[in-house]
Amino acid sequence: MTAIEVNHVCKSYGKVRALSDVSFSVGKGEVFGLIGPDGAGKTSLFRILCTLLLPDAGTATVDGFDVARQMTAIRSRVGYMPGRFSLYQDLTVQENLEFFATLFGTTVDEGYDSIKTIYSQIERFKDRKAGALSGGMKQKLALSCALVHQPSVLFLDEPTTGVDPVSRKEFWAMLTMLKERGITIMASTPYLDEVRQCERVAFLSEGCVQGIDKPEVILDRFADIFCPPRPTPSLTEKAADEPVIEVSHLVKAFGDFCAVDDISFSVRRGEIFGFLGANGAGKTTAMHMLTGLNQPTSGTGMVAGYDIRTEHEQIKKHIGYMSQKFSLYEDLTVAENIRLFGGIYGMKDKEIARKTDRLLRQLEFEAHKNDLVGALPLGWKQKLAFSVSIFHDPAIVFLDEPTGGVDPATRRQFWELIYEAASRGITVFVTTHYMDEAEYCDRISIMVDGKISAMGSPEELKQRFSQPDMDHVFTHLARQATRSSD
């Protein structure tokens, strides 16, 4: 029995061909993966199958209903969970669930049995606004909202991006349970451990299906894209006696809740320092204090020689910062973004012009300097945002999950940029949910319940906890947490 049938589907946006002659089928009750780099056409295909877009050519059916002619029938039979969760941040957990139930002409009570196993994990927070939940909690709520009307087919467009490894494992355990109930699941993901949990995967690139097979076959066949060689670090001498970050007994409390609970560490010049923790562990709060965005409750800290309590404005001038959202201005061109940030960092016009030319050559962006940033592929934006964050040669660059949702080959290229920056003496302070990236760091700290639970090089941590890789080390420690990641 076939649940999804796609035949010769094409879709264009002006001159941009998003999908070109795409064909495949998914069996009832199958877990089917859709994988490929950013801009491959995955989201366009999901939206066509969910009847949010019409194909330009070709046909597609979901549960036997045509996506162009029988939209209403399909919408009552599918659940859709996009990467951004599609929740209403200013509504409570309960209000979000009731809203989505109403959209599908049902009630929470009527669909409760179908979501009980998942929703019961967050039900005690039903009066909390969705915007105040952690990534893992939002994920469970979004999945509950997608399932409340008891769909037969579930579409998941990179639903775990930005979620810690333990929460991702829990999420895929939920999908296994849904498969056992006969629900067909079609999911896209940039995480290779999730790709391997699919029964079959289709590799989509530049709008075309390059291959369909079992995960191990596709990953092996296209190893240069999905399993690129480890980036090569620059051979530089670390300045062991020159700390650029020094933290002593740092605490940050919000009322009775202690988000950061007495942490101490130092980071030296040119070091790549990984700052890991599950959602809700306190790492973002700690980073906000180090970057001058928040004041500590107690304890001391020095960043680039400046006190985090009294000199936070000076700190901001001597660091770079890049978040998962990149912080670029999408309605400005590449060159305009570079010029703008150079001015913000207090650089002289001649220096900005000279370094802009060099940067455009380095990124091979000369032909695209007048392109709007909003029109660039995700991987290009990522490299530009990082380059802009270190344009003024800061002492430290803080990277907050900079590679979320990016394919492995592009992530490897990004880490080459990180290594090059470190070789110039720039300290890199990075958070990530990709445990293969944790292996690239010189040292790692792992936060659990607001405290630093472990610190050392990847090899030291693997040996200390008798684990084969950093994924197992992280999971081992994160599962010792006693407070909820809410």
Side-chain angles (χ1 to χ4, degrees):
M1 296 285 288
T2 300
I4 303 169
E5 190 79 43
V6 178
N7 292 302
H8 308 292
V9 164
C10 299
K11 182 66 183 179
S12 295
Y13 304 98
K15 296 180 179 179
V16 178
R17 177 65 66 92
L19 298 169
S20 181
D21 197 27
V22 172
S23 298
F24 63 89
S25 63
V26 180
K28 282 190 179 295
E30 184 177 11
V31 179
F32 186 85
L34 188 65
I35 60 177
D38 179 66
K42 302 186 297 294
T43 297
S44 291
L45 186 54
F46 274 113
R47 290 176 176 171
I48 287 172
L49 294 174
C50 293
T51 73
L52 301 176
L53 281 176
L54 288 173
D56 297 333
T59 61
T61 61
V62 178
D63 259 3
F65 296 94
D66 186 272
V67 297
R69 295 182 290 104
Q70 297 168 301
M71 294 182 181
T72 302
I74 289 176
R75 290 174 183 174
S76 67
R77 288 168 168 79
V78 305
Y80 178 44
M81 185 175 165
R84 298 297 178 187
F85 299 131
S86 67
L87 297 173
Y88 290 88
Q89 304 293 311
D90 55 347
L91 296 183
T92 66
V93 168
Q94 181 71 18
E95 288 168 343
N96 266 281
L97 195 58
E98 289 174 348
F99 174 75
F100 281 94
T102 303
L103 281 182
F104 291 106
T106 186
T107 64
V108 174
D109 289 341
E110 192 174 338
Y112 188 81
D113 286 343
S114 66
I115 63 171
K116 181 179 179 180
T117 306
I118 300 167
Y119 184 59
S120 61
Q121 299 178 45
I122 58 172
E123 193 167 10
R124 65 185 184 278
F125 305 111
K126 65 181 181 179
D127 295 325
R128 183 173 298 181
K129 288 188 177 182
L133 299 176
S134 71
M137 291 293 186
K138 286 180 181 178
Q139 186 188 54
K140 291 170 185 173
L141 175 58
L143 186 57
S144 297
C145 291
L147 293 170
V148 70
H149 61 297
Q150 304 176 59
S152 57
V153 181
L154 183 60
F155 292 101
L156 307 170
D157 189 4
E158 297 191 2
T160 58
T161 295
V163 179
D164 68 81
V166 174
S167 296
R168 292 197 293 107
K169 288 179 173 67
E170 292 175 352
F171 183 82
W172 277 83
M174 296 176 202
L175 297 188
T176 299
M177 175 192 67
L178 296 177
K179 172 183 165 55
E180 291 170 354
R181 284 166 36 188
I183 295 177
T184 303
I185 299 169
M186 181 171 162
S188 67
T189 176
Y191 296 99
L192 298 188
D193 58 323
E194 296 182 357
V195 171
R196 293 186 176 99
Q197 295 195 55
C198 299
E199 293 167 82
R200 288 187 305 139
V201 295
F203 171 38
L204 199 64
S205 180
E206 296 182 347
C208 299
V209 174
Q210 307 294 332
I212 300 175
D213 213 315
K214 294 180 179 179
E216 57 270 23
V217 174
I218 294 296
L219 294 179
D220 181 65
R221 181 178 166 191
F222 301 100
D224 57 326
I225 296 170
F226 295 106
C227 307
R230 180 173 177 153
T232 305
S234 303
L235 297 176
T236 56
E237 198 71 31
K238 305 295 183 185
D241 59 344
E242 190 180 340
V244 292
I245 300 175
E246 295 180 276
V247 171
S248 180
H249 303 292
L250 203 61
V251 173
K252 181 62 182 181
F254 299 94
D256 295 331
F257 178 69
C258 197
V260 175
D261 189 3
D262 193 18
I263 64 172
S264 300
F265 62 92
S266 65
V267 184
R268 63 187 183 272
R269 186 176 68 85
E271 185 174 20
I272 301 174
F273 188 79
F275 200 60
L276 310 185
N279 294 110
K283 62 184 186 301
T284 298
T285 301
M287 184 179 281
H288 283 173
M289 287 189 283
L290 295 178
T291 54
L293 298 175
N294 214 328
Q295 295 298 297
T297 302
S298 63
T300 62
M302 300 290 289
V303 174
Y306 298 99
D307 192 312
I308 63 173
R309 282 182 167 277
T310 61
E311 299 176 293
H312 34 87
E313 290 304 319
Q314 285 296 323
I315 288 173
K316 292 174 186 177
K317 294 177 183 178
H318 290 84
I319 64 171
Y321 181 81
M322 176 183 168
S323 70
Q324 189 175 343
K325 293 182 173 58
F326 303 144
S327 310
L328 296 171
Y329 288 87
E330 304 238 319
D331 55 349
L332 296 182
T333 66
V334 169
E336 287 169 342
N337 265 278
I338 297 172
R339 190 183 313 122
L340 172 65
F341 281 96
I344 290 172
Y345 293 135
M347 297 170 64
K348 303 295 185 184
D349 288 345
K350 286 185 178 179
E351 185 184 12
I352 292 173
R354 176 177 56 81
K355 295 187 72 172
T356 296
D357 290 340
R358 187 178 69 187
L359 178 58
L360 291 172
R361 286 195 303 273
Q362 179 186 356
L363 297 178
E364 298 181 352
F365 277 15
E366 297 104 317
H368 302 280
K369 68 178 183 179
N370 295 320
D371 290 359
L372 290 176
V373 163
L376 297 179
L378 180 64
W380 290 29
K381 291 181 186 177
Q382 179 197 54
K383 288 185 280 190
L384 178 62
F386 176 72
S387 299
V388 165
S389 73
I390 61 171
F391 191 61
H392 58 309
D393 292 320
I396 308 154
V397 61
F398 289 88
L399 308 177
D400 192 3
E401 295 179 32
T403 56
V406 180
D407 66 271
T410 304
R411 289 197 292 115
R412 182 194 183 281
Q413 294 170 10
F414 185 80
W415 273 85
E416 294 285 6
L417 294 176
I418 289 177
Y419 281 143
E420 194 275 332
S423 73
R424 289 160 43 198
I426 296 176
T427 297
V428 180
F429 191 100
V430 58
T431 71
T432 179
H433 287 318
Y434 291 98
M435 291 301 102
D436 60 325
E437 294 186 349
E439 303 269 2
Y440 304 159
C441 298
D442 296 315
R443 281 192 305 144
I444 295 164
S445 78
I446 300 178
M447 287 191 72
V448 178
D449 288 348
K451 298 178 179 290
I452 293 179
S453 184
M455 185 183 300
S457 71
E459 288 305 316
E460 288 170 349
L461 295 179
K462 286 184 284 188
Q463 290 178 16
R464 186 186 312 169
F465 297 103
S466 301
Q467 299 293 338
D469 52 40
M470 282 307 303
D471 182 60
H472 284 78
V473 171
F474 183 93
T475 301
H476 171 75
L477 292 171
R479 284 184 169 158
Q480 296 175 14
T482 57
R483 73 187 190 193
S484 301
S485 62
D486 55 278

